[in-house]
Amino acid sequence: MPGGAAPTADKVVTDFSDNSLLPELFGKHDSNLALIEKRLGVTVSSRGNKVSIAGPSVSAGAARSVLHSLYSRLERGQTVESGDVEGAIRLAESAQPGDAQQTVIRTRKRLITPRSARQTEYVERIRESEIVFGVGPAGTGKTYLSVAVAVEMLLQGRVDRLILSRPAVEAGERIGFLPGDLRDKVDPYLRPLYDALHDMLPGDQVAKALESGDIEVAPLAFMRGRTLANSFIILDEAQNTTPMQMKMFLTRIGENSRMVIAGDPSQIDLPLGSKSGLRDALDILSGVPEVGVVHFGEADVVRHHLVTRIVQAYNENDRQRQVAQMARRTAQNGDDGG
């Protein structure tokens, strides 16, 4: 056949035992089914508790996996939102949906499951390794998932403390002029970590844990000289550390502790010409097998679908700018040679 063989068409029929879960599975006005159709190029129709999926055989099988993955969430008492549908589709396309269903993070307020194969790898690395770097663009769940695993381990009694840290680059680490006590001064820089905590623990428990020290806010500038044992330590926005700050932070780890370093090398806010401690550490520690590194990409963005488009657009703009710079250098070298 000209242009290659057409993909084999197929029709898959599947059913679900609990009809009461189907409205949420299908979404308001069947919006979840419409999203599956759009992303996978299939046609989905329902009658009673049966769902028919028509389309290329691989896509139809993936759509079936997506529906059963979401149905399993509902059976566990979880909700299904558009982001969960997007995540299930991403997992089905990567042919690793089973891994994500086995990887569940249990917190006091909700169960959390990874939404991409890379997120699944990240969670498993955090559980297995003492030090893990999560590197990649915004919206890939680097911070959120690390806080989720930290809360889970704290609730299980596997660690005694959760320590949250972030460089206060905007204030140049000189935050003394801000009003209030230490927590008040650094709170604006740690807000994403607090948001994640409140998504996983009741507000009164977060407040109690902060008061008792079970959860501690530790600005990076105040970590020096400490040894942190039986702790889960998270450094967010790690791209904004200097090499000396990163070395200081990494050497704080003590016995029975976990450490996660999350950052995006494309969003460095350090003064022009300063080297990022994140990039430096990734180079220096590349040969240390006990240190886990998970690289996220555009395909792992799990926020609103427009975030993925935005990241892609900026990355493409950066690539075009690099090509233009190389072309200018080549032209200048040609002129100099002439």
Side-chain angles (χ1 to χ4, degrees):
M1 175 179 290
T8 304
D10 202 355
K11 184 174 182 179
V12 175
V13 179
T14 187
D15 60 81
F16 302 92
S17 58
D18 189 346
N19 283 5
S20 67
L21 299 179
L22 297 187
E24 192 170 356
L25 175 64
F26 296 164
K28 189 175 182 179
H29 304 305
D30 289 345
S31 58
N32 294 344
L33 299 184
L35 183 56
I36 292 170
E37 289 181 327
K38 180 180 178 181
R39 293 284 188 271
L40 294 176
V42 297
T43 301
V44 183
S45 58
S46 63
R47 185 171 184 177
N49 69 332
K50 294 185 182 296
V51 175
S52 298
I53 307 164
S57 57
V58 173
S59 298
R64 181 185 184 280
S65 295
V66 169
L67 287 169
H68 280 276
S69 171
L70 298 173
Y71 183 77
S72 295
R73 286 180 61 87
L74 295 171
E75 285 187 314
R76 294 194 297 266
Q78 297 175 265
T79 60
V80 169
E81 300 170 358
S82 60
D84 301 309
V85 182
E86 292 274 9
I89 292 170
R90 190 179 292 108
L91 286 163
E93 289 178 322
S94 69
Q96 298 185 48
D99 291 343
Q101 288 310 302
Q102 295 168 5
T103 304
V104 178
I105 307 169
R106 301 180 183 277
T107 68
R108 196 60 53 82
K109 285 180 73 173
R110 60 186 302 187
L111 299 178
I112 298 164
T113 55
R115 291 182 176 180
S116 75
R118 194 75 68 191
Q119 284 194 347
T120 300
E121 177 191 356
Y122 184 55
V123 170
E124 295 303 327
R125 284 287 187 93
I126 293 174
R127 287 173 168 171
E128 295 167 2
S129 303
E130 291 178 304
I131 297 179
V132 175
F133 286 81
V135 185
T140 51
K142 304 182 300 296
T143 301
Y144 190 84
L145 290 173
S146 65
V147 174
V149 178
V151 168
E152 180 184 59
M153 292 183 68
L154 185 66
L155 293 174
Q156 292 173 346
R158 295 173 60 188
V159 295
D160 296 334
R161 289 184 296 173
L162 167 54
I163 299 173
L164 311 176
S165 187
R166 199 180 194 195
V169 168
E170 294 82 353
E173 292 290 356
R174 295 185 294 273
I175 56 179
F177 68 89
L178 294 174
D181 60 18
L182 178 59
R183 189 184 301 166
D184 293 328
K185 295 174 191 294
V186 78
D187 270 0
Y189 305 103
L190 290 155
R191 181 49 51 190
L193 299 174
Y194 280 123
D195 290 343
L197 282 173
H198 282 280
D199 206 28
M200 299 159 196
L201 292 170
D204 60 334
Q205 292 187 19
V206 173
K208 184 178 179 181
L210 287 168
E211 187 68 29
S212 67
D214 291 342
I215 298 176
E216 180 184 350
V217 173
L220 184 59
F222 288 75
M223 295 284 284
R224 195 175 303 277
R226 305 178 64 184
T227 300
L228 304 171
N230 302 309
S231 303
F232 196 116
I233 313 124
I234 298 171
L235 175 61
D236 193 29
E237 297 292 326
Q239 74 274 5
N240 289 327
T241 61
T242 65
M244 287 300 295
Q245 286 174 326
M246 179 62 77
K247 179 182 177 183
M248 178 273 292
F249 179 81
L250 290 170
T251 53
R252 300 309 94 199
I253 192 169
E255 294 295 323
N256 188 40
S257 287
R258 286 280 191 279
M259 184 174 277
V260 176
I261 300 96
D264 178 3
S266 72
Q267 294 190 14
I268 296 173
D269 299 317
L270 293 169
L272 192 64
S274 300
K275 187 172 184 180
S276 167
L278 176 60
R279 287 179 173 171
D280 190 60
L282 292 172
D283 291 339
I284 293 172
L285 301 177
S286 61
V288 179
E290 294 87 355
V291 175
V293 181
V294 178
H295 290 276
F296 295 90
E298 298 171 1
D300 300 303
V301 175
V302 295
R303 291 183 187 166
H304 192 283
H305 68 90
L306 276 179
V307 176
T308 304
R309 301 282 181 86
I310 291 167
V311 171
Q312 290 172 342
Y314 270 89
N315 287 345
E316 180 59 29
N317 182 68
D318 289 341
R319 284 190 286 266
Q320 292 178 2
R321 187 164 49 195
Q322 289 170 2
V323 169
Q325 288 174 347
M326 291 177 63
R328 282 196 297 270
R329 291 194 194 102
T330 301
Q332 287 172 357
N333 291 337
D335 291 341
D336 293 341

